[in-house]
Amino acid sequence: MTAKIIDGKQIAADIRKELMAEVATLKTKGVTPGLGVILVGDDPASQSYVAAKEKACAEIGIFSDDNRLPTDTTQEELLKVVERLNNDDSINGILVQLPLPKQCNESEVLTKILPEKDVDGFHPVNIGKMVIGEDAFLPCTPHGIIEILKRSKVETDGAEVVIIGRSNIVGKPLANLLLQKGEGRNSTVTLCHTGTKDIKKHTIKADIVIAATGRPNTVTADMIKDGAVVIDVGVNRIEDNTKKRGYRLVGDVDFENIYKKASQITPVPGGVGPMTITMLLYNTVLSAKRNIK
Ligand code: GUN
């Protein structure tokens, strides 16, 4: 068996087309969705993520209010920018790109964003609502994965799902979403992490394996059941002097070998990545719609 490669770019393009139509409708009502973007420092990966997010906004008609702050920005200065965006009625969503420099308190910054503008879904109020199944902004990467599974017709109902990685951004919220009732969910979820004694013991039985560890080759072919679905959340830069930019991107799974065994697999790049940005656009449009109701 060779796997069907899930085209995250195409799924993202389909959703962005739907969102573009919604933005056009909002504009006829005098509303242009706005995203406030804050980037502190000059980390190259963060700069490229933010550039991609702002480009995606522009493509579907969302305007972005770009705030680039120096690496030595204090917590107080950063909170002032958050406050200004909180109080700006033209801004429907606020994105603070993570990680922040050491002198900034990430948790305090995320908590200061108004929950109704928290389009990243990181505010404790949104996380709490998500866990108990109430209406909330869902975190973008987990939400994007749910959409990938739905639109790729992967059966999640009653499926054994193993997630590897317990981050606040991916593993923990994704486990919560997948165990809830509903389309693209209702799974039996196992969450593996660095304290798990034998990860293979879990993955080998799984119908769906989702890797979000930030380490290449976390999942190898011997760990996967024939016909399993494999979702790779990793974005790792590997030095590669044959590339103009000096590196290439790889995921957390051994794609070449798992491809021969799985039924469906997401590539890196072009799998989960485009969906993360798309769900940020989705939340920003959702926030703008809520605002006029
Ligand atoms: N850094 C890595 N992933 C993310 C994300 O989804 N949102 C933000 N704000 N920062 C990130």
Side-chain angles (χ1 to χ4, degrees):
M1 168 184 278
T2 53
K4 172 177 172 274
I5 298 176
I6 294 174
D7 188 347
K9 260 179 154 163
Q10 185 58 52
I11 298 172
D14 293 345
I15 298 174
R16 289 183 198 194
K17 208 166 142 197
E18 294 160 20
L19 291 172
M20 199 187 282
E22 294 205 48
V23 172
T25 307
L26 282 168
K27 285 187 177 175
T28 65
K29 296 177 184 167
V31 176
T32 299
L35 178 69
V37 179
I38 303 176
L39 172 59
V40 187
D42 50 13
D43 174 63
S46 291
Q47 281 175 333
S48 83
Y49 288 138
V50 163
K53 288 171 185 180
E54 291 181 337
K55 180 166 171 268
C57 280
E59 280 167 3
I60 71 155
I62 295 175
F63 86 90
S64 40
D65 179 332
D66 180 89
N67 299 270
R68 306 280 167 130
L69 307 177
T71 309
D72 61 359
T73 300
T74 64
Q75 175 78 355
E76 206 181 10
E77 288 165 335
L78 174 53
L79 290 178
K80 273 202 182 122
V81 181
V82 171
E83 196 183 339
R84 181 176 60 72
L85 295 169
N86 272 343
N87 292 327
D88 183 340
D89 287 342
S90 71
I91 296 296
N92 303 103
I94 299 172
L95 164 87
V96 178
Q97 185 65 28
L98 304 178
L100 290 170
K102 285 188 295 290
Q103 75 278 11
C104 297
N105 179 336
E106 210 163 273
S107 155
E108 189 192 15
V109 172
L110 296 179
T111 307
K112 284 279 158 55
I113 295 172
L114 286 175
E116 55 270 31
K117 293 193 180 188
D118 168 40
V119 287
D120 250 332
F122 293 162
H123 192 288
V125 165
N126 281 313
I127 295 167
K129 285 185 173 178
M130 175 201 69
V131 170
I132 59 174
E134 278 186 15
D135 237 8
F137 288 120
L138 301 180
C140 302
T141 302
H143 194 189
I145 293 168
I146 299 275
E147 281 301 314
I148 282 182
L149 294 172
K150 262 198 232 171
R151 292 179 188 236
S152 305
K153 311 233 175 315
V154 175
E155 182 61 271
T156 55
D157 193 345
E160 296 283 340
V161 179
V162 171
I163 300 167
I164 314 170
R166 57 178 154 188
S167 70
N168 288 335
I169 294 182
V170 184
K172 279 187 219 162
L174 182 58
N176 266 291
L177 288 174
L178 280 168
L179 59 79
Q180 292 180 16
K181 288 185 180 169
E183 197 197 346
R185 307 184 188 193
N186 212 29
S187 307
T188 303
V189 181
T190 303
L191 183 54
C192 296
H193 46 73
T194 48
T196 303
K197 288 214 172 70
D198 183 357
I199 293 181
K200 180 178 172 181
K201 187 178 103 186
H202 300 281
T203 55
I204 199 74
K205 293 185 291 190
D207 304 307
I208 302 170
V209 174
I210 303 171
T213 63
R215 261 186 307 112
N217 277 316
T218 302
V219 183
T220 47
D222 59 302
M223 296 168 70
I224 296 293
K225 178 171 85 172
D226 278 330
V229 174
V230 178
I231 305 291
D232 191 349
V233 189
V235 187
N236 305 296
R237 288 185 177 197
I238 298 279
E239 198 182 303
D240 186 344
N241 292 325
T242 67
K243 303 278 177 201
K244 215 165 48 189
R245 53 189 184 178
Y247 67 88
R248 69 192 151 88
L249 294 180
V250 300
D252 292 349
V253 317
D254 175 7
F255 183 91
E256 296 307 324
N257 289 305
I258 292 177
Y259 166 73
K260 297 174 199 152
K261 216 173 166 189
S263 61
Q264 297 201 60
I265 185 167
T266 59
V268 176
V272 174
M275 292 301 289
T276 296
I277 298 180
T278 302
M279 301 328 283
L280 176 75
L281 305 175
Y282 175 93
N283 279 346
T284 306
V285 172
L286 177 64
S287 178
K289 286 193 295 190
R290 282 181 178 166
N291 224 15
I292 54 172
K293 271 182 191 151

